[in-house]
């Protein structure tokens, strides 16, 4: 009896202590932060509304697609062309072409090549002077030049342009149609998911190849596209793309209307397109200067979104970062003003030679004013995949590791092809649209690596809005149930809502 009385007294004392503790804690605001932490308990309420009624497995940051299939009409047309061509060892040729394109590098810039040659020549001269001080300078110079040329030939990548004839176009179709379609489809899906009000009316595709961008845009936005201009320097490739639009036939009506094929970009600076794309096209240009000029031309013709896609290699990623920097520099109005001023001064110098008549001078001023008026002065913004407008942290910290994303797809059902494959690609989306500004809510970070799911916690590699790469361990106690469940349902390439880091402890 005494034991029972002691037990009841103990329980009563514990309940009193718990009640007192709850009353004491209720007097203190529930706001605790951790140094350099993300989305602590104080931020859970701010994060609560980001789902907008969607389930966690379909939260707004999910942009990756499941296995991508070719449209039925496109696959039938492609198989009809492949079987009609009857090429020997087509699967082996397609495999070799895929490997070649994946390992393809950029052409070496002449300036960098010259710098390398001068550095090698200087080092060899120093060795020559140390070993033989009384040597003939002319003979030594000839000997050193031969060594430099020999070393450059062995270490320099010899880039050559690809010439697509009818046979190579069919091999390219078998090798890259499904993979290229999957990569473009994934990039366009992010625009549709994050900007549901955008519905393009016109499309410009540079380096259009087989016309996969037109097909991917149609799958993404239906029949909203009323005009598509496809630009590719290969006449044979344009002919094959037209056949695919006709279901593999030369006589049938096109399945997608108002698609026009050109071999050169439109010249007029006044014509803009809602959506401008280039998929695996910039890597085929022969120099950095030509890539820069092409990117600037594509940006001038962009009204809403510019989408660039390349192979998910180090070369592809660096090409896209070059394009990113080029477009962001255009956003500086001083750069635009200086460029127009420099061009105007150049033309005026030509006029000083008295070779221009008054009529020519008047026409010159009219053209320059028209170009300035036609220039879209809206500021460029990085839409995806970067979560910021700052320099790429991965390129600075891990230059040998490309920023790429996987997309599963089903290849063409040809002999020896697998049922499912994964395309690794890099992409860049620039926009002139001003993003919606939210007064309160999370910042979105990009998952740049596989998500490691463990019991009660998830390991995430993130590219954050402050331009830093971070590894974050997401737990329900620290980040809240919603963020934790979103992290468990996210994949490589998706976005994740993470609050700003808080660097000091606050108690009120």
């Amino acid at each position: 009896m005494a034991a029972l009385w002691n037990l009841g007294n103990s329980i009563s004392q514990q309940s009193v202590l718990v009640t007192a503790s709850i009353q004491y804690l209720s007097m203190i605001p529930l706001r605790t932060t951790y140094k350099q932490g993300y989305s602590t308990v104080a931020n859970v309420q701010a994060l609560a509304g980001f789902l907008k009624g969607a389930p966690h497995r379909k939260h707004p940051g999910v942009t990756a697609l499941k296995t991508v299939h070719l449209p039925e009409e496109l696959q039938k047309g492609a198989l009809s062309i492949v079987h009609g061509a009857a090429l020997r060892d087509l699967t082996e040729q397609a495999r070799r072409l895929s490997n070649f394109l994946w390992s393809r590098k950029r052409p070496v810039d002449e300036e960098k090549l010259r710098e390398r040659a001068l550095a090698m020549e200087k080092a060899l001269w120093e060795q020559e002077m140390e070993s033989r001080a009384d040597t003939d300078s002319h003979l030594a110079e000839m000997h050193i030049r031969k060594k430099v040329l020999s070393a450059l030939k062995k270490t320099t990548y010899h880039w050559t342009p690809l010439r697509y004839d009818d046979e190579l176009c069919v091999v390219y179709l078998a090798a890259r149609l499904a993979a290229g379609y999957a990569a473009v489809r994934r990039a366009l899906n992010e625009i549709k998911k994050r900007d549901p009000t955008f519905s393009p009316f016109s499309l410009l595709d540079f380096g259009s190849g087989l016309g996969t961008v037109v097909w991917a845009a149609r799958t993404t936005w239906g029949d909203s596209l009323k005009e598509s201009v496809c630009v590719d320097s290969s006449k044979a490739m344009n002919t094959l793309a037209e056949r695919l639009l006709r279901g593999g036939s030369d006589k049938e009506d096109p399945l997608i209307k108002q698609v026009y094929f050109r071999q050169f970009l439109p010249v007029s600076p006044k014509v803009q397109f809602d959506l401008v794309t280039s998929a695996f096209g910039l890597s085929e240009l022969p120099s950095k200067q030509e890539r820069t000029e092409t990117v600037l031309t594509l940006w001038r013709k962009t009204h809403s979104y510019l989408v660039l896609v390349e192979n998910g290699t180090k070369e592809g990623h660096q090409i896209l970062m070059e394009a990113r920097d080029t477009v962001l520099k255009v956003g500086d109005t001083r750069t635009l003003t200086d460029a127009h001023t420099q061009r105007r001064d150049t033309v005026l110098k030509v006029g000083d030679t008295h070779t221009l008549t008054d009529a020519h001078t008047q026409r010159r001023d009219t053209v320059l004013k028209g170009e300035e008026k036609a220039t879209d002065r809206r500021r460029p913004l990085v839409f995806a995949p970067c979560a910021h407008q700052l320099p790429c942290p991965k390129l600075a910290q891990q230059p040998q590791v490309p920023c790429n994303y996987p997309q599963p797809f089903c290849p063409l059902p040809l002999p020896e092809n697998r049922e499912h494959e994964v395309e690794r690609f890099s992409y860049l989306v620039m926009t002139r649209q001003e993003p919606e500004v939210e007064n309160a809510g999370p910042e979105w970070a990009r998952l740049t690596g596989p998500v490691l799911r463990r019991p009660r916690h998830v390991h995430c590699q993130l590219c954050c809005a402050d331009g830093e790469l971070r590894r974050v361990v997401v737990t329900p106690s620290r980040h809240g149930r919603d963020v934790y469940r979103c992290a468990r349902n996210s994949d490589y390439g998706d976005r994740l809502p993470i609050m700003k880091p808080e660097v000091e402890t606050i108690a009120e």
Side-chain angles (χ1 to χ4, degrees):
M1 193 71 181
L4 291 175
W5 185 88
N6 291 332
L7 178 61
N9 191 21
S10 175
I11 293 175
S12 176
Q13 290 176 358
Q14 289 181 7
S15 63
V16 170
L17 288 174
V18 169
T19 304
S21 299
I22 292 175
Q23 291 176 352
Y24 172 73
L25 290 174
S26 64
M27 298 170 62
I28 302 175
L30 187 59
R31 187 176 182 183
T32 307
T33 62
Y34 300 86
K35 291 186 178 181
Q36 298 180 350
Y38 272 80
S39 56
T40 53
V41 177
N43 297 321
V44 173
Q45 291 183 354
L47 285 166
F50 78 92
L51 285 171
K52 299 178 181 179
H56 296 95
R57 59 187 176 85
K58 294 183 179 181
H59 68 84
V62 175
T63 55
L65 296 169
K66 303 301 181 184
T67 304
V68 173
H69 299 262
L70 286 172
E72 186 177 354
E73 304 96 329
L74 178 58
Q75 180 165 305
K76 286 182 178 178
L79 292 176
S80 174
I81 292 172
V82 167
H83 295 152
L87 297 179
R88 294 183 59 183
D89 300 326
L90 177 61
T91 304
E92 178 63 20
Q93 292 187 58
R95 185 187 65 81
R96 290 178 180 177
L97 180 60
S98 294
N99 292 340
F100 172 76
L101 294 174
W102 180 260
S103 61
R104 191 165 168 80
K105 298 181 180 180
R106 292 168 292 173
V108 180
D109 293 332
E110 293 184 2
E111 184 178 350
K112 291 184 178 180
L113 189 61
R114 192 179 299 109
E115 290 177 358
R116 286 177 55 194
L118 291 174
M120 293 173 63
E121 186 176 353
K122 182 180 179 181
L124 290 173
W125 262 114
E126 292 176 353
Q127 294 177 7
E128 190 74 21
M129 296 302 292
E130 290 177 359
S131 60
R132 293 181 296 176
D134 57 345
T135 186
D136 186 353
S137 60
H138 179 68
L139 292 177
E141 183 178 354
M142 296 296 292
H143 180 65
I144 288 174
R145 285 188 177 182
K146 286 183 180 180
K147 278 190 173 182
V148 170
L149 289 175
S150 176
L152 289 177
K153 286 181 180 179
K154 292 179 181 178
T155 58
T156 303
Y157 179 76
H158 300 283
W159 186 90
T160 54
L162 279 173
R163 307 295 183 188
Y164 285 95
D165 55 13
D166 293 340
E167 182 175 328
L168 186 57
C169 285
V170 176
V171 177
Y172 183 83
L173 182 149
R176 295 294 302 160
L177 177 65
Y181 174 84
V184 175
R185 178 78 178 85
R186 161 68 178 80
L188 298 184
N189 180 68
E190 177 147 0
I191 299 177
K192 182 177 176 62
K193 181 72 178 289
R194 293 174 55 187
D195 187 2
T197 61
F198 175 71
S199 184
F201 181 84
S202 56
L203 164 70
L204 172 63
D205 182 21
F206 174 77
S208 55
L210 300 170
T212 50
V213 171
V214 174
W215 289 93
R218 183 202 187 195
T219 304
T220 305
W221 287 289
D223 296 329
S224 69
L225 276 174
K226 303 302 179 184
E227 180 185 13
S228 301
V229 178
C230 298
V231 180
D232 199 291
S233 60
S234 172
K235 185 177 180 181
M237 194 68 80
N238 287 337
T239 302
L240 184 59
E242 284 191 275
R243 286 186 62 190
L244 286 172
L245 286 176
R246 299 177 186 274
S249 172
D250 294 327
K251 299 179 180 179
E252 299 293 333
D253 293 333
L255 298 169
I256 304 177
K257 309 295 184 182
Q258 307 298 326
V259 180
Y260 307 98
F261 292 89
R262 302 286 185 269
Q263 288 184 274
F264 304 98
L265 281 169
V267 178
S268 174
K270 296 182 180 180
V271 178
Q272 284 190 321
F273 297 81
D274 296 332
L275 180 64
V276 178
T277 62
S278 177
F280 311 101
L282 295 179
S283 55
E284 295 299 325
L285 297 177
S287 66
K288 181 179 180 180
Q289 180 180 357
E290 193 163 342
R291 288 196 301 271
T292 301
E293 292 175 355
T294 301
V295 168
L296 289 175
T297 300
L298 295 178
W299 179 246
R300 282 196 299 268
K301 296 190 175 299
T302 301
H303 182 267
S304 297
Y305 288 99
L306 170 63
V307 181
L308 305 176
V309 180
E310 291 292 338
N311 286 327
T313 60
K314 181 183 71 173
E315 295 292 322
H317 178 222
Q318 291 181 358
I319 287 174
L320 293 180
M321 292 303 98
E322 284 179 2
R324 182 182 187 271
D325 294 340
T326 299
V327 176
L328 288 178
K329 286 179 182 177
V330 175
D332 188 352
T333 56
R334 292 174 297 178
T335 303
L336 284 173
T337 304
D338 293 343
H340 285 294
T341 304
Q342 184 178 3
R343 184 174 179 191
R344 187 185 298 108
D345 292 343
T346 302
V347 177
L348 287 174
K349 287 179 182 178
V350 175
D352 291 341
T353 61
H354 303 289
T355 57
L356 292 175
T357 63
D358 293 339
H360 286 148
T361 305
Q362 185 176 2
R363 183 180 179 186
R364 173 203 65 202
D365 295 338
T366 303
V367 170
L368 289 174
K369 289 179 181 178
E371 287 191 4
E372 291 182 0
K373 188 176 180 180
T375 302
D376 193 331
R377 298 304 182 101
R378 287 178 294 167
R379 185 167 60 94
L381 296 169
V382 181
F383 184 80
C386 312
H388 52 83
Q389 314 295 316
L390 302 171
C392 176
K394 199 162 193 177
L395 191 62
Q397 301 173 22
Q398 305 170 1
Q400 301 300 322
V401 181
C403 183
N404 59 21
Y405 301 93
Q407 178 55 58
F409 70 97
C410 287
L412 285 173
L414 297 175
E416 300 182 22
N417 273 1
R418 301 175 182 175
E419 291 186 3
H420 300 280
E421 292 187 9
V422 176
E423 170 72 359
R424 287 194 172 273
F425 68 100
S426 298
Y427 73 109
L428 173 68
V429 182
M430 305 294 295
T431 181
R432 295 187 191 272
Q433 304 283 348
E434 291 290 341
E436 294 182 2
V437 178
E438 298 180 358
N439 295 327
E443 287 183 344
W444 293 86
R446 179 75 58 176
L447 286 163
T448 58
V451 177
L452 303 180
R453 301 169 180 86
R454 299 292 184 264
R456 302 298 296 169
H457 68 279
V458 182
H459 293 264
C460 299
Q461 301 177 35
L462 298 172
C463 180
C464 301
D466 58 357
E468 296 291 336
L469 294 175
R470 288 187 175 87
R471 293 179 180 270
V472 179
V473 180
V474 181
T475 63
S477 60
R478 186 173 181 183
H479 298 84
R481 176 178 172 273
D482 287 328
V483 174
Y484 170 71
R485 292 192 62 181
C486 286
R488 293 197 73 89
N489 286 279
S490 298
D491 289 318
Y492 186 177
D494 288 336
R495 299 189 306 150
L496 195 64
I498 296 293
M499 297 301 295
K500 295 180 180 180
E502 297 176 350
V503 297
E504 59 182 2
T505 303
I506 302 174
E508 297 178 356

